[in-house]
Amino acid sequence: MRTFIKTAAIVGAFNLAISAAIASEPKPTIVLVHGAFAESASWNGVVADLIRDGFPVIAAANPLRSVGGDAAHVASVVGSVKGAVILVGHSYAGAVISALSESNVKALVYVSAFEPDVGESSLELTNKFPGSTLGSALAPPVNLPNGEQDLYIQQEKFPAQFAADLPEADARLMGAAQRPVNQAALTDLAVRAAWKTIPSWSIYGAADRNIPPAAMAFMASRAHAREVVVVPGASHLVMVSHPHEVAALIEDAASAK
């Protein structure tokens, strides 16, 4: 009996030690990358949940100039982080995070985002399935000094096109603060598909008018996503209208083994 009690005590102490070691492990840093026509503040609700739960967070600024150039910029942010990173991309930024190969990226989370294979572009994937109304909502391109063009969504069409499940006053503010994307970035062909070697998670809205939900279902299935969340009635800005669901999925990815 004494031997049994002693053995049980040793096993119990060992389990407590393991639990304590796991609890003391630093949490991965969450790097959030916004997409076209959005900006870093679009992650505010998600950031609030993640910080509350003890995660270090960086809402990176995405230049929105080209997939390769934007990926290099995000890679410099990821490279500055000591320890594991959960890399999260919204919309066009899905193509950007798919182009990274940094060894400390533990998981990819696609939020209403593109997941291109090598040789595919964001525009091609948008048109692969019917349903996007983005083209007719765009303003005339803005000509840049270098001969390239920037794209914006017409401000009066921004609420219905991009943020239909948000209060209109909030959507109009976001429309005024939108970041333009270089037109050429949407036709850049992917040279890497990080989701082939890094586990991925996906969340998107069932009422997305920018990227057809059928396209996102196709991409998530092709990437063998560990978990796919479809939010009924959610717009393209699902991380703004449903930050808790998005944060919860990110935390699932962060805790996965």
Side-chain angles (χ1 to χ4, degrees), residues 189-257:
L189 302 182
V191 298
R192 183 178 293 109
W195 47 263
K196 290 185 176 181
T197 56
I198 301 172
S200 66
W201 281 253
S202 176
I203 182 170
Y204 57 89
D208 196 313
R209 296 177 184 175
N210 271 40
I211 306 174
M216 290 183 283
F218 162 76
M219 291 183 282
S221 176
R222 180 175 65 177
H224 304 291
R226 296 276 189 94
E227 186 177 354
V228 179
V229 177
V230 183
V231 183
S235 71
H236 193 58
L237 283 175
V238 65
M239 72 284 200
V240 180
S241 59
H242 293 82
H244 306 312
E245 291 91 332
V246 174
L249 186 68
I250 294 170
E251 293 190 13
D252 285 350
S255 61
K257 301 299 180 184

Side-chain angles (χ1 to χ4, degrees), residues 153-214:
I153 295 175
Q154 298 174 55
Q155 288 195 27
E156 64 274 16
K157 293 185 177 181
F158 190 95
Q161 177 62 41
F162 212 69
D165 58 344
L166 291 175
E168 185 167 350
D170 293 344
R172 289 194 175 281
L173 286 174
M174 296 187 74
Q178 65 180 289
R179 291 273 311 282
V181 64
N182 189 307
Q183 188 172 41
L186 301 180
T187 58
D188 281 345
L189 302 182
V191 298
R192 183 178 293 109
W195 47 263
K196 290 185 176 181
T197 56
I198 301 172
S200 66
W201 281 253
S202 176
I203 182 170
Y204 57 89
D208 196 313
R209 296 177 184 175
N210 271 40
I211 306 174

Side-chain angles (χ1 to χ4, degrees), residues 15-105:
N15 287 338
L16 285 173
I18 292 295
S19 298
I22 292 173
S24 66
E25 264 185 35
K27 292 188 175 183
T29 297
I30 314 300
V31 176
L32 306 163
V33 188
H34 68 83
F37 316 117
E39 36 84 40
S40 297
S42 60
W43 295 110
N44 283 356
V46 175
V47 170
D49 278 10
L50 294 173
I51 289 176
R52 179 202 63 202
D53 294 337
F55 287 92
V57 184
I58 300 172
N62 187 356
L64 305 176
R65 300 294 87 193
S66 68
V67 171
D70 296 342
H73 178 82
V74 174
S76 68
V77 175
V78 171
S80 71
V81 175
K82 294 181 179 179
V85 166
I86 307 300
L87 193 53
V88 185
H90 172 244
S91 191
Y92 159 78
V96 174
I97 69 171
S98 295
L100 268 67
S101 60
E102 276 49 45
S103 60
N104 60 332
V105 176

